[in-house]
């Protein structure tokens, strides 16, 4: 195992706990940025370009027939193959948190359409489900099992918000463990079925699951109800006959008490368990090898990498599987970096040095012998690429992501609870939803005065209909304190003066002048 540094100086605030990585044939894509996507990457999905420990992020694009995919944090994802031996695969993405801390109950299928040196094209399709559809959640797992020539997805665990009927003012934003039900999802027919197993008594979140053929192994995880990390090892076996599926659970010895651990696959039957926490304030620095053979599982401790002092002494760490036996790890940068929200990143390679060199050589060969026409791609602008090894002054401070949502453990310090104006009365301890669109955070709207600032819609006395119209219309909004100032600064509209057409002069009455002889002759004829 080798640990290499990928220094992050600027724009690393996009990478926060809960992000996900998708590996398509060696091409790694990043999903789940902090905050809503910006114009530099409207999709919110980036291609991670890693060469010689230099980490770059290039925007990825979606095909025209793709659906919208929000930046989800803490979702469940896994690969979906046509069958157990197929080389082509897609990614299934379920649940997760949006930047507004709303939970998603949707399920997406992501696939790579095309890729060349300058442009990556993805396709995202939302699947319609029926039956016992799993509730919106995060911190859960999803796996695919294969049995009797058929495949199904299995969803288990996670956390969700307290049901509306059980909420109180003091605990409106509280989360609870989801019920320990096992959900089978049939993608062919779009139906879901839930199973309640007596062996699964407590809900689990941030656990680890590995699958092989028709069997899933679940270990670790944290239970909010008991505030414990489960030492149990569960074996789920799924049988898919012609009739109804059968799901059985067995509790095995030899589990690991850990939460938020990361698993990466190094071979067809071998996985490596890295990271996580063994208690609320203690990281787990031990690594394990998990071997799956037939219907057996073996978990053994392996030699850990030479952790750096920063990793050993930091309070928290996070990361995600990069595929191909590699893991991207992050630790808080604290005050050591120019950007307070920045993090340090490391790449942990769990394969041997010879295997890593062979994969890098094959990747270089494939990139050199690409048969795709480079003329079909458009070059990126400078603003479309974020380089993590660049100098701090190579980016504008205004271009950095300034979204204030912190990690879920420190949600009380997020930008939703600011004092937006002199008359602001929003308090995190007493706030209750005011609009029907609110769940666990107050609705906010951007005031366009100056550099712009966020204000609470409730403090601005906005009606719900007005708030919806402003969110849908492409207009600038000014808060109560700046609306008069904005009117005074506006350039007066140019008044168009109508041109008046000059009136035509009246014709003068004409009189006939007659000479004296003619006048006498005229009068004589008139009175005759």
């Amino acid at each position: 195992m080798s640990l290499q540094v990928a220094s992050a100086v600027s724009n690393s605030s996009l990478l926060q706990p809960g992000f996900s990585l998708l590996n398509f044939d060696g091409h790694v894509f990043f999903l789940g940025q902090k905050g809503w996507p910006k114009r530099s990457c409207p999709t919110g999905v980036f291609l991670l370009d890693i060469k010689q420990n230099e980490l770059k992020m290039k925007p990825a694009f979606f095909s025209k027939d793709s659906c919208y995919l929000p930046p989800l944090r803490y979702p469940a994802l896994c690969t979906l193959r046509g069958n157990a031996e197929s080389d082509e695969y897609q990614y299934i993405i379920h649940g997760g948190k949006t930047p507004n801390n709303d939970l998603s109950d949707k399920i997406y299928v992501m696939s790579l359409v095309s890729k060349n040196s300058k442009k990556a094209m993805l396709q995202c399709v939302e699947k319609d489900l029926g039956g016992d559809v799993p509730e919106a959640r995060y911190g859960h797992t999803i796996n695919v099992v294969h049995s009797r020539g058929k495949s199904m997805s299995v969803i288990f665990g996670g956390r969700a918000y307290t049901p509306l009927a059980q909420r109180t003012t003091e605990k409106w934003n509280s989360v609870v463990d989801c019920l320990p039900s096992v959900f089978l999802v049939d993608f062919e027919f779009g139906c879901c079925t839930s199973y309640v197993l007596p062996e699964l008594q407590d809900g689990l979140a941030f656990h680890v699951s590995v699958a092989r053929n028709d069997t899933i192994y679940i270990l670790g995880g944290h239970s909010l109800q008991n505030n414990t990390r489960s030492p149990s090892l569960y074996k789920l076996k799924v049988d898919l006959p012609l009739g109804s599926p059968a799901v059985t659970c067995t509790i095995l010895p030899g589990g690991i008490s850990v939460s938020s651990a990361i698993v990466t696959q190094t071979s067809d039957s071998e996985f490596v368990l890295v990271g996580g926490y063994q208690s609320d304030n203690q990281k787990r620095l031990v690594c394990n090898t998990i071997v799956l053979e037939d219907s057996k599982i073996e978990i053994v401790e392996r030699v850990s990498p030479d952790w750096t002092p920063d990793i050993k002494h930091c309070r928290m760490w996070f990361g995600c599987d990069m595929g191909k036996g590699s893991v991207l790890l992050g630790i808080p940068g604290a005050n050591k970096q120019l950007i307070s929200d920045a993090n340090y990143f490391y790449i942990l390679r769990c394969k041997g040095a010879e295997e890593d060199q062979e994969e890098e050589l094959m990747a270089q060969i494939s990139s050199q012998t690409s048969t795709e026409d480079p003329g079909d791609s458009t070059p990126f602008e400078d603003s479309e690429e974020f380089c993590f090894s660049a100098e701090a002054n190579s980016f504008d401070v205004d271009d950095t992501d300034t979204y204030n949502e912190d990690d879920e453990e420190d949600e009380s310090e997020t930008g939703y609870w600011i004092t937006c104006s002199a008359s602001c009365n929003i308090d995190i301890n007493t706030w209750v939803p005011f609009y029907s669109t609110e769940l666990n955070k107050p609705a906010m709207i951007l005031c366009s005065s100056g550099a712009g600032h966020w204000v609470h819609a409730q403090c601005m006395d906005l009606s719900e209909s007005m708030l919806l119209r402003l969110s849908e219309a492409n207009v600038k909004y000014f808060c109560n304190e700046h609306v008069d100032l904005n009117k005074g600064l506006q350039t007066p509209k140019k008044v168009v003066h109508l041109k008046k057409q000059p009136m035509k002069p009246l014709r003068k009455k004409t009189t006939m002048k007659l000479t004296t002889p003619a006048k006498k002759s005229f009068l004589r004829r008139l009175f005759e």
Side-chain angles (χ1 to χ4, degrees), residues 9-11 54-57 385-390 394-395:
V9 177
S10 182
N11 288 313
E54 184 179 75
L55 183 61
K56 296 180 180 179
M57 296 177 67
E385 179 171 300
F386 303 105
C387 178
F388 279 76
S389 60
S394 63
F395 296 94

Side-chain angles (χ1 to χ4, degrees), residues 274-504:
V274 179
Y277 301 88
Q278 58 188 26
S279 66
D280 291 344
N281 53 7
Q282 186 175 2
K283 302 189 306 297
R284 187 176 187 272
L285 298 175
V286 179
C287 300
N288 296 87
T289 299
I290 303 174
V291 180
L292 305 181
E293 292 183 354
D294 298 329
S295 297
K296 298 180 180 179
I297 181 173
E298 182 183 5
I299 304 176
V300 296
E301 187 175 328
R302 63 180 293 163
V303 179
S304 300
D306 187 12
W307 301 117
T308 64
D310 288 335
I311 293 180
K312 291 180 180 179
H313 297 104
C314 68
R315 183 181 63 87
M316 62 169 290
W317 59 351
F318 59 95
C320 188
D321 176 28
M322 299 177 63
K324 307 293 184 181
S326 299
V327 174
L328 181 64
L329 292 172
I331 62 173
N335 297 325
K336 296 182 180 181
Q337 302 198 39
L338 297 178
I339 303 175
S340 59
D341 208 16
N343 300 301
Y344 286 132
F345 290 95
Y346 299 84
I347 299 177
L348 177 63
R349 305 185 188 277
C350 302
K351 288 187 176 181
E354 295 181 358
E355 293 176 330
D356 288 339
Q357 290 178 0
E358 182 179 352
E359 285 188 1
E360 290 181 2
L361 180 61
M362 292 300 296
Q364 292 176 4
I365 292 176
S366 2
S367 64
Q368 291 173 0
T369 59
S370 174
T371 57
E372 299 183 34
D373 183 9
D376 295 337
S377 63
T378 55
F380 289 110
E381 300 293 337
D382 294 339
S383 60
E384 292 180 329
E385 179 171 300
F386 303 105
C387 178
F388 279 76
S389 60
E391 297 297 330
N393 56 7
S394 63
F395 296 94
D396 255 348
V397 178
D398 294 338
D399 292 337
T400 59
D401 195 324
T402 56
Y403 183 76
N404 286 329
E405 179 190 347
D406 204 348
D407 184 56
E408 63 169 350
E409 298 177 356
D410 300 318
E411 289 180 352
S412 60
E413 300 178 4
T414 63
Y416 288 96
W417 310 109
I418 60 173
T419 302
C420 67
S421 62
S423 60
C424 179
N425 56 2
I426 299 296
D427 186 359
I428 187 175
N429 298 316
T430 60
W431 176 83
V432 293
F434 180 78
Y435 302 100
S436 62
T437 56
E438 293 175 330
L439 179 61
N440 62 335
K441 293 290 188 296
M444 302 191 74
I445 188 168
L446 179 66
C447 173
S448 300
S449 176
H453 64 96
W454 291 91
V455 292
H456 300 112
Q458 185 177 350
C459 297
M460 298 296 108
D461 298 325
L462 292 177
S463 64
E464 183 161 345
S465 57
M466 176 60 70
L467 179 61
L468 291 175
R469 283 200 294 268
L470 290 173
S471 62
E472 295 172 356
N474 186 19
V475 295
K476 290 185 177 181
Y477 170 79
F478 293 89
C479 67
N480 295 341
E481 296 181 357
H482 296 115
V483 62
D484 293 333
L485 176 61
N486 174 67
K487 289 180 180 179
L489 294 177
Q490 287 181 350
T491 304
K493 294 183 178 179
K494 185 178 180 180
V495 180
V496 179
H497 297 282
L498 297 177
K499 292 184 177 180
K500 295 183 179 181
Q501 295 293 338
M503 297 180 62
K504 294 182 178 180

Side-chain angles (χ1 to χ4, degrees), residues 228-273:
T228 57
R229 286 165 175 80
S230 173
S232 302
L233 173 60
Y234 301 99
K235 176 183 177 181
L236 295 180
K237 190 173 181 64
V238 181
D239 187 18
L240 302 176
L242 292 178
S244 301
V247 183
T248 58
C249 179
T250 307
I251 302 179
L252 304 177
I256 300 176
S257 180
V258 64
S259 64
S260 301
I262 305 169
V263 171
T264 182
Q265 188 169 1
T266 54
S267 67
D268 182 52
S269 60
E270 184 175 297
F271 302 82
V272 176
L273 181 70

Side-chain angles (χ1 to χ4, degrees), residues 11 13-14 33-46 59 68 71 383-384 386 396-403:
N11 288 313
S13 58
L14 292 174
Q33 70 170 57
K34 184 176 182 181
W36 292 105
K38 295 186 175 181
R39 286 186 298 175
S40 55
C41 182
T43 63
V45 178
F46 295 85
Y68 173 68
S383 60
E384 292 180 329
F386 303 105
D396 255 348
V397 178
D398 294 338
D399 292 337
T400 59
D401 195 324
T402 56
Y403 183 76

Side-chain angles (χ1 to χ4, degrees), residues 78-117:
C78 69
T79 55
L80 173 65
R81 300 177 185 271
N83 52 67
E85 291 77 22
S86 175
D87 292 332
E88 297 182 358
Y89 58 89
Q90 302 168 309
Y91 271 91
I92 306 175
I93 305 170
H94 177 264
K97 278 187 175 184
T98 69
N100 291 343
N101 269 359
D102 297 327
L103 299 186
S104 171
D105 62 348
K106 299 182 183 300
I107 193 164
Y108 304 92
V109 177
M110 182 90 77
S111 56
L112 180 64
V113 178
S114 63
K115 168 70 179 71
N116 55 38
S117 59

